Amino acid sequence: MILGLGSDLVDIRRIESTLERFGQRFTHRIFTAAERDKSERRAARAASYARRFAAKEACAKALGTGFRKAVYWRDMEVVNLPGGKPSMRLTGGALARLASLVPKGMRAQIDVSLTDDPPIAQAIVIITALPDTAAPA
């Protein structure tokens, strides 16, 4: 069962100019240390940040809150699963909101699609509830 769906588009040039203007003040406010490390190693640094920015926006939409009700930027982290597939790691208010959405006996799965075609970056986030096979019957 789909619990939430979010989509976002970001102009990479806007992120690039924000990086130039605000630098670490921007990156440290929005991104986790792991996200900053990964984006800073990329040749297309601004596009990497833009994809992650779009993913956070899309995830906040999928949670149904936006950036309110204790859901903050760094509560959502774009991570890659062992095969490279992107996903989201939630903490704090975002994790609490996710827990409130998941029916008893179910577990959440967060699917993320990231792409860019300069000057645009896009992210789609789908939050699904699946049966929790680890739960007692």
Side-chain angles (χ1 to χ4, degrees):
M1 123 184 9
I2 294 178
L3 301 176
L5 170 66
S7 173
D8 195 61
L9 295 171
V10 174
D11 188 324
I12 297 167
R13 297 168 298 193
R14 188 182 106 203
I15 297 299
E16 188 170 38
S17 68
T18 302
L19 288 166
E20 289 170 5
R21 185 170 178 200
F22 298 106
Q24 286 187 355
R25 199 165 105 208
F26 169 66
T27 59
H28 283 71
R29 178 175 178 246
I30 304 296
F31 303 100
T32 65
E35 289 174 315
R36 292 190 308 266
D37 290 343
K38 192 159 198 150
S39 291
E40 290 297 329
R41 290 193 314 260
R42 301 275 191 237
R45 176 178 170 251
S48 179
Y49 277 120
R51 288 189 301 272
R52 285 167 173 69
F53 188 93
K56 290 169 184 274
E57 288 272 8
C59 188
K61 292 172 185 176
L63 289 169
T65 58
F67 291 100
R68 59 183 203 282
K69 297 187 180 182
V71 174
Y72 303 107
W73 289 99
R74 290 183 312 235
D75 287 348
M76 296 170 281
E77 178 180 36
V78 178
V79 296
N80 292 94
L81 301 177
K85 178 182 173 183
S87 186
M88 300 293 292
R89 178 182 301 134
L90 305 185
T91 59
L95 182 58
R97 172 62 181 168
L98 178 63
S100 76
L101 295 174
V102 180
K104 187 175 174 102
M106 307 284 272
R107 67 177 174 81
Q109 175 177 298
I110 303 175
D111 291 297
V112 179
S113 177
L114 302 174
T115 191
D116 66 73
D117 186 8
I120 301 296
Q122 178 185 26
I124 298 170
V125 173
I126 302 172
I127 301 173
T128 309
L130 302 172
D132 187 357
T133 57

